[in-house]
Amino acid sequence: MRRTPYPKLTLVLVLGQIGLALAQASSSTSVTSVAPKSSPTATASPAAVITDPSSLVLSFIGTTNGGHVFPGATLPHGMVKVGMDTDSPGNHAGYDADPQFNATGFSQLHDDGTGGAVPLSNFKIWAFANCSSFETCPTSIASRKILRNILPNGSPDDFASPGYFSTNLTNSIRVELTATRRTALHRYTFPSGTTNPRIMLDLTNDGQRSSTDPVMTLDSDTGKLEGGASFAASFGPGRYSTFTCVTFKGEGYDLGKPTEYGIWLGDFPVRGATNILQVYYGFVDEIGGLLTFQPAPNGGSTSILVRVGVSFISSAQACANAEEEIPDFDFTRVQTVARAQWNDVLGRVQVDTTGVDLDTVKLFYSSLYRTHISPADYTGENPKWNSTEPYYDSLYCNWDTYRTLYPLMSLHDPVTFSRIVRGMIDIQKHEGWLPECRGATAMHFIQGGSNGDPILGEFFVKFHQFSASLNVSDDDLYNALLADAEIEPPNWNVQGRQANAWKQFNYIPQDMFSPGGANTKQASRSLEHAFNDFSISQVAKVLGKTEDAQTYTQRAGNFVNLWNPNITVPGGPGVIGMMQPRFANGTFNFTDPRHCSVHDPAKATCFLNAANRDGFYESSPIVYSQYAPQDTAKLIELQGGLDKFISRLDFIFDQDYFDSTDEPSQQIPFMYHYANRPGLSTQRSRQIIAQSFNTSINGLPGNDDSGAMGSYAAFYLSGLYPLPATQQFLLSSPYFQQISFFNPVLNTTTKIVAENFNGNPPDGTGGRVFIQARFPCPLSSVLIAESSELELSERGCERTTLQV
């Protein structure tokens, strides 16, 4: 939408060597950063506009060694994510960049960066150049798989950029992929001399080999394949059904009718069969369709286009999606449109590359790119109820993404954010509670609290003035939050929260067994609920609901009920007091503070397991004891004051308790801000980038978690860290002389300028990257305000109201 343009906002930082001036102690959850000692008004020269940011995206970052990144072709938040599947044990996104693993097919649906069981990977397409006969084609996944060609540098002969993927296989077939929102377009180019080019659909082999209830028909005149099946959810108890429609066209020649066709079962193609009922299939059998086409005439190169529509409603709708989105089979057009959409969303964030190594620029745009792979826009594909509202899926999981992904989206893509929020509210209306973890329309297990709450809070606090124009109902949004906060669901393993115990005890007791869910994660869930209720309190304040705001503000303080001041850490002198599980009678249980860390004597994982009685999820009590972002001032008080708070942070880093692979640690490097040592935040955050993130195929410290690691890195490289459901960002120094965010709802461009920028130390330590004096103002006045300008000078922070 177009609005009256507001002035561009410019924040000027003056950088120097490490000069860590102290500011006053922070007494509330406000931003404390630093400003220049000497700051004449600076006007930065305009940086060259990056018009093709897609060219700076490295899609293969994190595609091996546990990153589980999806490198295939998709649109921003597209439902279809078409890509290569491999036989790697880490093929959660289908692909693995390690060349030792075979390609097994090219499927239409994937997730990005997830853990759990392998999700999706449905409806694999595969091509054969030289079966000795139709009946001898090796159609099973184990028989057909082959390696990729290897480049001189030892990497597989794969290429990817936003909206496009290609590979060259050792059978001399070249595969290219592109996509629209609900349809994939494949191009298979066969080696010269191929006389019987064949293409097959694998109907049943998803990532878990979990299919049941398959249906499929084959049209012998056109080769069109229609079908679907039921598959297992990857991180929960449910199942989902999905459907496909596959059609073919020769590129540059008339493909004609199939010369051979049939249904295959295992390694046995049955020539002439047109329905899977014509073969004897059983539970989780491998089954699909196989077609032979005529090659290009006159010995020319044979390229066959394969259009694959997908739907969660029916195969008929999958066919309609394909016809609507790719009526012409024009691969170049589809690829061009996809890249343009990516350039639009990525180009809203601009950086000045002067004095910055190219790898850093690529790391930034690659990280930003991955924040727009998920959630996926399934609008029109919800089989559970009819609605005119948007429907987004692949919310996998909110616990991972609420901290940084949605605050980053707030800065440059609030329209998509509003549609995701509308979709979440619509789910709450029909299922009773906001979604927490969801994949392919199925509920997945909750990791933390009801973490849809801070996502809705993030949107509303920043964009409540625009909610009506963005078609977000204030009342519906607030009612959805209240449902999470006040009503206990029948199964709080998959939706809502253990609300009754939370309200009765002001924490989740460790010895309460309820039939509504697993008795685990009591301490970490309590800490999450406290922040979730803080998010609700912020929405209530905006809406003028004073009594509600007080109620949820009080509940936000419940984190103190888990603080045991008598716990010490072995090997941690001066580290006294820790979050601990608590019984219903008020007494504390004990969990070793080292539990679920690299120093845990028991080597526990703290993953989902109903037998776990440690009280924490995926991180240690040491890390969770730093999690009260709604009231860090109180946390500092509990930990003995500023000096001891700083010493505790230093201990976490120096003794390797900080865990860059998992989300509970993400805010810790920036927590020095609250102790008036923002320079240490700058130092620690830059060291984390240097040690844990790079542009290689194993350039992530762990799972990308649906873009959570991408948004985390993007914020650090921007010199920012957000506090969700507020208008506050913690300020450090960016990795660029200039960085700007265009917000299409506010129609503003916010620019951060670093004076005296002199590059970035490669190991993240030292350098001319420190702001030289105090900056006590909330950065929100720069990033959120519609018409103001902030200048940092030796006097601190001065805000000037501009005339519009």
Side-chain angles (χ1 to χ4, degrees), residues 572-623:
V575 178
I576 302 172
M578 200 69 55
M579 300 293 180
Q580 289 283 281
R582 198 167 186 176
F583 296 124
N585 65 7
T587 61
F588 283 102
N589 199 354
F590 173 74
T591 296
D592 188 325
R594 302 167 297 175
H595 188 65
C596 202
S597 75
V598 295
H599 301 298
D600 182 2
K603 307 297 182 186
T605 64
C606 299
F607 193 60
L608 291 179
N609 186 331
N612 285 349
R613 293 290 181 267
D614 51 69
F616 295 88
Y617 179 70
E618 286 198 7
S619 201
S620 67
I622 291 175
V623 166

Side-chain angles (χ1 to χ4, degrees), residues 215-491:
V215 293
M216 195 187 75
T217 60
L218 183 158
D219 187 320
S220 60
D221 288 328
T222 64
K224 180 166 74 171
L225 296 157
E226 292 187 59
S230 172
F231 302 94
S234 70
F235 194 57
R239 295 185 68 82
Y240 66 94
S241 294
T242 188
F243 305 90
T244 191
C245 177
V246 186
T247 48
F248 307 88
K249 184 178 182 180
E251 186 168 61
Y253 76 105
D254 183 5
L255 190 63
K257 297 172 59 174
T259 59
E260 299 169 310
Y261 57 87
I263 305 297
W264 61 268
L265 178 68
D267 276 324
F268 300 99
V270 180
R271 187 196 298 257
T274 58
N275 191 305
I276 63 171
L277 297 177
Q278 294 172 277
V279 298
Y280 295 104
Y281 68 89
F283 183 67
V284 298
D285 268 337
E286 299 181 62
I287 195 167
L290 177 64
L291 302 158
T292 308
F293 293 101
Q294 61 184 355
N298 304 318
S301 175
T302 296
S303 291
I304 297 177
L305 296 162
V306 184
R307 184 182 65 182
V308 188
V310 179
S311 173
F312 286 84
I313 304 294
S314 67
S315 60
Q317 180 151 321
C319 293
N321 292 343
E323 287 289 345
E324 175 189 343
E325 296 179 358
I326 313 180
D328 52 5
F329 284 78
D330 188 333
F331 192 97
T332 300
R333 179 191 64 79
V334 173
Q335 179 188 350
T336 301
V337 170
R339 191 177 187 92
Q341 290 192 31
W342 279 110
N343 280 339
D344 173 54
V345 69
L346 298 176
R348 297 174 197 170
V349 185
Q350 291 284 320
V351 300
D352 184 349
T353 62
T354 305
V356 181
D357 65 276
L358 185 57
D359 267 4
T360 298
V361 179
K362 290 182 176 181
L363 178 62
F364 176 78
Y365 277 106
S366 301
S367 301
L368 181 63
Y369 165 77
R370 296 197 310 278
T371 69
H372 292 285
I373 296 177
S374 299
D377 185 355
Y378 280 38
T379 301
E381 295 296 335
N382 179 5
K384 296 181 181 293
W385 60 83
N386 293 322
S387 176
T388 58
E389 282 297 275
Y391 177 72
Y392 280 74
D393 210 286
S394 292
L395 301 165
Y396 199 163
C397 296
N398 292 345
W399 181 81
D400 299 298
T401 56
Y402 82 86
R403 306 162 203 265
T404 55
L405 188 142
Y406 292 100
L408 184 60
M409 193 177 287
S410 289
L411 293 179
H412 71 287
D413 197 16
V415 174
T416 298
F417 191 7
S418 72
R419 289 175 51 81
I420 294 169
V421 166
R422 288 168 60 192
M424 293 177 69
I425 293 170
D426 200 49
I427 291 172
Q428 183 277 321
K429 284 183 177 181
H430 289 88
E431 295 186 349
W433 293 266
L434 287 168
E436 164 52 26
C437 198
R438 197 176 188 91
T441 76
M443 294 182 195
H444 287 181
F445 292 126
I446 288 176
Q447 295 179 282
S450 50
N451 296 125
D453 302 341
I455 295 173
L456 266 62
E458 168 70 16
F459 172 81
F460 195 75
V461 167
K462 288 187 170 73
F463 297 104
H464 58 274
Q465 293 173 305
F466 303 91
S467 56
S469 62
L470 292 169
N471 297 309
V472 176
S473 165
D474 295 359
D475 290 340
D476 289 347
L477 182 146
Y478 192 62
N479 288 336
L481 294 173
L482 293 183
D484 274 0
E486 302 297 334
I487 306 171
E488 182 165 299
N491 182 359

Side-chain angles (χ1 to χ4, degrees), residues 502 505-508 523 526-531 553-566 577-582 586 588 624-639:
W502 171 247
F505 295 95
N506 298 316
Y507 58 92
I508 305 295
S526 297
L527 295 170
E528 297 277 358
H529 293 341
F531 184 73
T553 297
Q554 183 175 1
R555 291 187 193 174
N558 284 347
F559 70 92
V560 301
N561 297 326
L562 297 181
W563 186 259
N564 186 337
N566 301 315
M578 200 69 55
M579 300 293 180
Q580 289 283 281
R582 198 167 186 176
F588 283 102
Y624 271 109
S625 293
Q626 301 308 111
Y627 189 76
Q630 68 272 26
D631 195 354
T632 307
K634 181 63 176 179
L635 194 64
I636 292 172
E637 177 187 325
L638 292 172
Q639 295 183 2

Side-chain angles (χ1 to χ4, degrees), residues 80 214 311 804:
V80 159
S311 173
V804 179

Side-chain angles (χ1 to χ4, degrees), residues 6-9 741-750 783 785-786:
Y6 295 116
K8 293 184 178 181
L9 312 177
F741 300 87
F742 173 68
N743 189 309
V745 167
L746 302 179
N747 199 26
T748 60
T749 297
T750 299
L783 292 174
E786 297 176 350

